[in-house]
Amino acid sequence: MKCIITIELGTNAVRVFAFDLNGNVIGSMKGHYPTFHTEPDHSEQDPEQIFITMLFVLKNLLNDNIHVKKYKVDCICFSASMHSVLAIDKNGVPLGNAITWADNRAKKEAQELKNSPAGKKLYTATGTPIHPMSPLLKIAWLKNNDPERFKQTNKFLSIKSYIIQQLTGEYLIDYSLASATGLLNIRTLKWENDALEFAGITADRLPGLVPVFASAGTLRKAYQNSLGLPADTKIIVGSSDGCMATLGAGIWDEGKATITIEDSGAVRVVGNKVLQDEKQRFFNYLLTEDCYVSGGPTNNGGIIFEWFARQFGDFKNPFDLEHSMEELFSEASKVPVGSDGLLFLPYLLGERAPIWNANARGVYFGLNIKHERQHFIRAAIEGILYEVYSIGKILEEHRTISSLSINGSFASIPFCTQIIADMFNKPVSLRQNSHSVGLGSFLISATELGIFKSLDEAAQTVELPDNYTPQAQNHAVYSGYFSIFERLSTKLFDEFEAIATLQQKNASDQNSSKVYSKIKLT
Amino acid sequence: MNQFVLQHGRSPELQLFPHITELGAKKNTSIRLNSLQESATDSIRIYYVIEGKFEWHIHQQQYMLYPGDVALILPGQKFGSEKGFLEIGSLSWIHINIHKLESGEMIPGRWSSLSESESLTIGKILFLNNSLVLSKLNEAGRILQYVQSELFNQEIGYGTRVNNLIDELFITITRQLTRQSNPARNFPKTFMQLEQTLRQNLSHQWTVEEMAAVVGMGTTLFNEKVKSYSGFSPINYLINIRISEAIKLLKKIDASLTDIALDTGFYSSQHFSTTFKKLTGYTPSEFRKNHLPNN
């Protein structure tokens, strides 16, 4: 029997799945690796630890699920978080840690570029919003602030490029992941000269561009031996986690959108044209040559509800956050749709799409004397989902969306899924035990192996069994409140800036005087 | 309240209890200069605030203490007020001599009826914890009061009871420390803290019990949480860190394999080599040759 392995190098962990050739999962394992925040805006990961963790997890999965059952591994396909940057020297040795998508050190560079005509041009050419997450700005930051490392750098890689190079010796990046670097022209599929110039590099400092289906070479002998894999095991470069999740959610036709909400979230659509947006609110990433995944990301997904649960949840059983979150959901369900007019703006982490305002902050609005604790809970959940809806609304300015597909741990909580259906007033389909990223990688591999004739055919096979129908009555209630939510989100611009400035100032004052207050019991 | 100070060597009440170096309670009604200058001792010092507000400097950090709070000062740590005087208010305290084992670990001492393993765990949690101020621990104040009345009344069985009360005090404080750090509630944060501690002491031969103690959790719960969060058993996760660090050293520094092995926590270069090869398929020297073509 043959099988396909998919490896997802995610934000906090590597997830490895094994599929049989019919797309059934025959095994899966994950391994966590840490993110280091040595300075407030920094977010880094150790490339060697990611590599070792990946190798360890892959080896365990092969030993426990694959070799014992006599499966033959036909291919291994990769996917990874977008926007990472790893500098390596002339020997291929990493110069420090990899910089992840969440790193904000280049915020000054980003702000300057975004408001300039050059920034607008670069956004139009590359499809990547001008934001500190973008490798374009991270490399520019290194040039300006870490000239020693910049000078020693032979190549700027993505984490996935490094992992693949360790396994096979090839320095590669797929068009899909490259289209999220801010350096690739998404129409000509070449590195964009203006972007390279802004970053201060030439194209030979970047890995070689290949399609997502490309083979990444042969596993090094030592890994063939330690993993028990033959030399002809195909290593497929693959795509980014975002594009794979979209494909794995069966979103391939215009008219559909996918909503992913884990800690953070995104709303995505697929089409054969770039979404041009004057206000630079969307990303446009390539999956294949003629297929663009467009959409908007939010910072404030399930992580905000988790924050809420930690602060206000009941911890009779002190060891269980999940339990406390379940309780909160059951309390929230006792409050009518719309939380009797209590609104929550969930911007605790600043916000990306659609308002792209790092200074945005959380707000409860509309509080009256009849509101109770339960209203706060429901309003928090609704606020997180209004924000996702606001991304969907601006996408609808460009595309007609007739149905939604949901994935991610927060969005797939039935209570949330129903609210999403009601807010959007569209039917929602959901796959339980979702592993969309792995499934997307499987579809790419299976297409490359000739099991499907095309990605179109492959995407058709994704089954989306659980359907939620919108309730017109609820939609009317949400629509009324949403227009206030939307106006508040922009109207408060000046006040967001004022409070964020004060918060930053006071935080740095406290740091410098080194007064530690005692730790409060919660 | 009764004001008093008992000191070892001076007060007959403490004759039976050589491990108690000082016990006292004080209502401070006026400020006297130089009444609380910074000092370090060999004892573990525990202060309980009954009334007032105290701004203390403990182990180079400034803390504000309010009624019900406990300050815990470990042997060798400096404690005092930056202004040099004791503020107005009431407090009680105890200083206890703690026993240092040859291995460097601290345990309460022979007088204690805690079991050996519980003593070790308590010692570890006390010494690995960075929060030296515990909020709202009225229980500690009550225990100090009981100790005092046992010592003054000397009723039958008081010798045993005083020591039991001190055990009780250690247990109460340790439990509060683990609760205050809230290890399982915010496990990602706890795990990050563990990761940092492991990386700082990578050459140490960690046991699972020690790792669990670092984050103040029971071993069973700890195992379960680490496995479900990281996908690895605690020991395998530690091996990940060791090999990752070893790879960096192999690629960068011209250090001997034995040095790298010991620095990253392997027993020997043999143990390093076997573990490394099992995971990567390369021996460390093959790996080095393969990845540094220019050396």
Side-chain angles (χ1 to χ4, degrees), chain A residues 95-111:
Chain A
L95 296 161
N97 284 330
I99 306 174
T100 76
W101 64 271
D103 193 285
N104 264 325
R105 72 185 72 185
K107 60 185 176 188
K108 205 183 98 230
E109 281 81 1
Q111 208 159 17

Side-chain angles (χ1 to χ4, degrees), chain A residues 32 49 56 91 162 516, chain B residues 62 135 199 230 240 251 294:
Chain A
H32 164 93
Q49 191 166 359
F56 208 155
N91 292 323
Y162 181 71
Y516 292 81
Chain B
Q62 199 72 24
S135 302
R199 284 173 173 274
S230 79
N240 275 353
K251 283 186 181 177
N294 295 356

